[in-house]
Amino acid sequence: LPSMINAQHGNIVIVSSSICGGTFLGYASYAPTKFALRALADTLRNELLGFNIGVHISFPADTDTPGFTQEQLTKPNECKLITPPELYSAESVAQDLVQRLKRGDYHILSKNLEANLSLMMTAGIAPRNNTLIDILVAPILFLVQQCWRIFNADKIAIKYGQNYLEKQHE
Protein backbone atom coordinates (compact mmCIF):
# COMPACT_ATOMS: atom_id res chain seq x y z
CA LEU A 1 0.00 0.00 0.00
CA PRO A 2 2.73 2.55 0.77
CA SER A 3 4.21 2.08 -2.72
CA MET A 4 0.74 2.47 -4.26
CA ILE A 5 0.21 5.66 -2.27
CA ASN A 6 3.57 7.03 -3.45
CA ALA A 7 2.76 6.12 -7.05
CA GLN A 8 -0.84 7.36 -6.65
CA HIS A 9 -1.95 4.31 -8.57
CA GLY A 10 -2.93 0.71 -7.96
CA ASN A 11 -5.72 -1.76 -7.37
CA ILE A 12 -6.50 -3.99 -4.42
CA VAL A 13 -8.85 -6.93 -4.85
CA ILE A 14 -10.26 -8.60 -1.75
CA VAL A 15 -11.84 -12.00 -2.31
CA SER A 16 -14.86 -12.68 -0.13
CA SER A 17 -17.74 -15.03 -1.01
CA SER A 18 -21.21 -14.97 -2.49
CA ILE A 19 -22.38 -15.99 1.00
CA CYS A 20 -22.44 -12.23 1.68
CA GLY A 21 -25.71 -12.10 -0.25
CA GLY A 22 -27.29 -14.02 2.61
CA THR A 23 -26.12 -16.76 4.91
CA PHE A 24 -27.82 -19.81 6.34
CA LEU A 25 -27.41 -23.18 8.07
CA GLY A 26 -23.89 -24.56 8.05
CA TYR A 27 -22.00 -21.28 7.68
CA ALA A 28 -21.68 -20.02 11.28
CA SER A 29 -17.89 -20.26 11.22
CA TYR A 30 -17.40 -19.23 7.57
CA ALA A 31 -19.81 -16.35 6.88
CA PRO A 32 -18.59 -13.89 9.57
CA THR A 33 -15.07 -13.84 8.12
CA LYS A 34 -16.43 -13.19 4.62
CA PHE A 35 -18.66 -10.37 5.86
CA ALA A 36 -15.61 -8.91 7.65
CA LEU A 37 -13.71 -8.89 4.35
CA ARG A 38 -16.60 -7.03 2.78
CA ALA A 39 -16.48 -4.40 5.54
CA LEU A 40 -12.72 -4.08 5.08
CA ALA A 41 -13.11 -3.54 1.32
CA ASP A 42 -15.91 -0.99 1.79
CA THR A 43 -13.76 0.93 4.28
CA LEU A 44 -10.56 0.80 2.23
CA ARG A 45 -12.43 1.85 -0.93
CA ASN A 46 -13.53 5.03 0.82
CA GLU A 47 -10.21 5.68 2.59
CA LEU A 48 -8.16 5.32 -0.60
CA LEU A 49 -10.35 7.38 -2.95
CA GLY A 50 -8.08 10.41 -2.69
CA PHE A 51 -5.00 8.36 -3.59
CA ASN A 52 -6.27 7.06 -6.96
CA ILE A 53 -6.10 3.49 -5.64
CA GLY A 54 -8.95 1.21 -6.65
CA VAL A 55 -10.33 -1.26 -4.16
CA HIS A 56 -12.58 -4.07 -5.37
CA ILE A 57 -14.45 -6.86 -3.61
CA SER A 58 -15.02 -10.21 -5.28
CA PHE A 59 -17.90 -12.53 -4.32
CA PRO A 60 -17.23 -15.88 -6.04
CA ALA A 61 -19.78 -18.65 -5.78
CA ASP A 62 -18.81 -22.26 -4.98
CA THR A 63 -15.49 -22.82 -6.71
CA ASP A 64 -13.84 -26.15 -7.46
CA THR A 65 -10.81 -25.91 -5.17
CA PRO A 66 -9.15 -28.24 -2.65
CA GLY A 67 -10.76 -26.16 0.12
CA PHE A 68 -14.23 -26.71 -1.33
CA THR A 69 -13.57 -30.45 -1.62
CA GLN A 70 -12.52 -30.56 2.05
CA GLU A 71 -15.58 -28.56 3.08
CA GLN A 72 -17.88 -31.15 1.49
CA LEU A 73 -16.60 -33.82 3.89
CA THR A 74 -18.19 -32.14 6.92
CA LYS A 75 -20.94 -29.96 5.42
CA PRO A 76 -24.38 -30.94 6.74
CA ASN A 77 -26.67 -32.48 4.10
CA GLU A 78 -29.22 -29.78 4.92
CA CYS A 79 -26.67 -27.14 3.98
CA LYS A 80 -26.10 -28.89 0.67
CA LEU A 81 -29.86 -28.71 0.02
CA ILE A 82 -29.86 -24.92 0.52
CA THR A 83 -26.74 -24.03 -1.49
CA PRO A 84 -26.90 -23.64 -5.26
CA PRO A 85 -25.88 -26.82 -7.10
CA GLU A 86 -23.49 -25.10 -9.52
CA LEU A 87 -19.75 -25.50 -9.01
CA TYR A 88 -17.44 -23.25 -11.03
CA SER A 89 -13.86 -23.93 -12.09
CA ALA A 90 -11.18 -21.85 -10.41
CA GLU A 91 -9.97 -20.78 -13.86
CA SER A 92 -13.37 -19.42 -14.93
CA VAL A 93 -13.79 -17.58 -11.62
CA ALA A 94 -10.32 -16.01 -11.99
CA GLN A 95 -10.95 -15.01 -15.61
CA ASP A 96 -14.26 -13.42 -14.66
CA LEU A 97 -12.60 -11.54 -11.79
CA VAL A 98 -9.92 -10.11 -14.10
CA GLN A 99 -12.50 -9.11 -16.72
CA ARG A 100 -14.66 -7.28 -14.17
CA LEU A 101 -11.59 -5.65 -12.61
CA LYS A 102 -10.62 -4.28 -16.03
CA ARG A 103 -14.19 -2.98 -16.38
CA GLY A 104 -13.73 -1.14 -13.10
CA ASP A 105 -16.48 -2.89 -11.13
CA TYR A 106 -16.26 -2.37 -7.38
CA HIS A 107 -18.52 -5.35 -6.67
CA ILE A 108 -17.12 -8.24 -8.66
CA LEU A 109 -20.14 -10.47 -8.59
CA SER A 110 -20.19 -14.23 -8.78
CA LYS A 111 -21.04 -16.36 -11.78
CA ASN A 112 -24.26 -17.44 -10.03
CA LEU A 113 -27.37 -15.39 -10.91
CA GLU A 114 -29.21 -16.04 -7.64
CA ALA A 115 -26.19 -15.00 -5.59
CA ASN A 116 -25.76 -11.86 -7.69
CA LEU A 117 -29.36 -10.83 -7.13
CA SER A 118 -28.94 -11.25 -3.37
CA LEU A 119 -25.67 -9.33 -3.43
CA MET A 120 -27.40 -6.48 -5.27
CA MET A 121 -29.87 -6.24 -2.39
CA THR A 122 -27.16 -6.07 0.26
CA ALA A 123 -24.74 -3.58 -1.28
CA GLY A 124 -25.55 -0.88 1.28
CA ILE A 125 -23.88 2.43 0.46
CA ALA A 126 -21.16 0.83 -1.68
CA PRO A 127 -20.97 1.77 -5.37
CA ARG A 128 -23.35 -0.15 -7.62
CA ASN A 129 -22.51 -1.66 -10.97
CA ASN A 130 -25.88 -0.54 -12.38
CA THR A 131 -27.85 1.71 -10.02
CA LEU A 132 -30.91 2.04 -12.27
CA ILE A 133 -31.38 -1.71 -12.61
CA ASP A 134 -30.84 -2.14 -8.86
CA ILE A 135 -33.57 0.42 -8.13
CA LEU A 136 -36.05 -1.11 -10.57
CA VAL A 137 -35.48 -4.71 -9.53
CA ALA A 138 -35.19 -4.18 -5.75
CA PRO A 139 -38.91 -4.49 -4.83
CA ILE A 140 -39.29 -7.73 -6.76
CA LEU A 141 -36.05 -9.16 -5.37
CA PHE A 142 -37.13 -8.35 -1.84
CA LEU A 143 -40.24 -10.49 -2.24
CA VAL A 144 -38.35 -13.33 -3.95
CA GLN A 145 -35.67 -13.35 -1.23
CA GLN A 146 -38.22 -13.50 1.56
CA CYS A 147 -40.12 -16.35 -0.11
CA TRP A 148 -36.87 -18.26 -0.69
CA ARG A 149 -35.87 -17.75 2.94
CA ILE A 150 -39.24 -18.84 4.34
CA PHE A 151 -39.97 -21.77 2.03
CA ASN A 152 -36.43 -23.06 1.51
CA ALA A 153 -33.64 -22.04 3.91
CA ASP A 154 -35.77 -21.61 7.05
CA LYS A 155 -37.89 -24.69 6.33
CA ILE A 156 -34.78 -26.87 5.95
CA ALA A 157 -33.19 -25.37 9.08
CA ILE A 158 -36.31 -25.97 11.19
CA LYS A 159 -36.47 -29.60 10.06
CA TYR A 160 -32.75 -29.98 10.82
CA GLY A 161 -33.28 -28.74 14.38
CA GLN A 162 -36.33 -30.92 14.93
CA ASN A 163 -34.51 -34.04 13.66
CA TYR A 164 -31.54 -33.27 15.90
CA LEU A 165 -33.74 -32.88 18.97
CA GLU A 166 -35.66 -36.08 18.19
CA LYS A 167 -32.40 -38.02 18.01
CA GLN A 168 -31.33 -36.58 21.38
CA HIS A 169 -34.52 -37.87 23.02
CA GLU A 170 -34.22 -41.40 21.63
Side-chain angles (χ1 to χ4, degrees), residues 100 103-109 126-132 134:
R100 290 173 185 269
R103 201 167 73 185
D105 289 356
Y106 170 65
H107 276 179
I108 299 174
L109 299 175
R128 306 292 181 122
N129 294 342
N130 194 323
T131 304
L132 181 60
D134 285 4

Side-chain angles (χ1 to χ4, degrees), residues 1-9 12 44 47-48 51 53 55:
L1 183 58
S3 63
M4 288 184 195
I5 290 172
N6 288 336
Q8 294 184 21
H9 178 74
I12 297 170
L44 287 176
E47 288 181 0
L48 298 175
F51 298 95
I53 297 170
V55 177

Side-chain angles (χ1 to χ4, degrees), residues 67-129:
F68 181 82
T69 302
Q70 184 67 32
E71 172 189 335
Q72 299 311 300
L73 300 176
T74 58
K75 183 186 276 186
N77 287 331
E78 292 81 4
C79 181
K80 292 176 184 177
L81 292 172
I82 298 171
T83 57
E86 297 86 10
L87 182 64
Y88 301 96
S89 74
E91 293 80 16
S92 70
V93 170
Q95 289 170 352
D96 194 51
L97 185 151
V98 170
Q99 178 185 8
R100 290 173 185 269
L101 177 63
K102 287 179 181 177
R103 201 167 73 185
D105 289 356
Y106 170 65
H107 276 179
I108 299 174
L109 299 175
S110 81
K111 297 176 76 62
N112 179 279
L113 176 63
E114 294 88 358
N116 290 344
L117 295 174
S118 288
L119 287 161
M120 281 174 40
M121 292 294 293
T122 61
I125 64 169
R128 306 292 181 122
N129 294 342

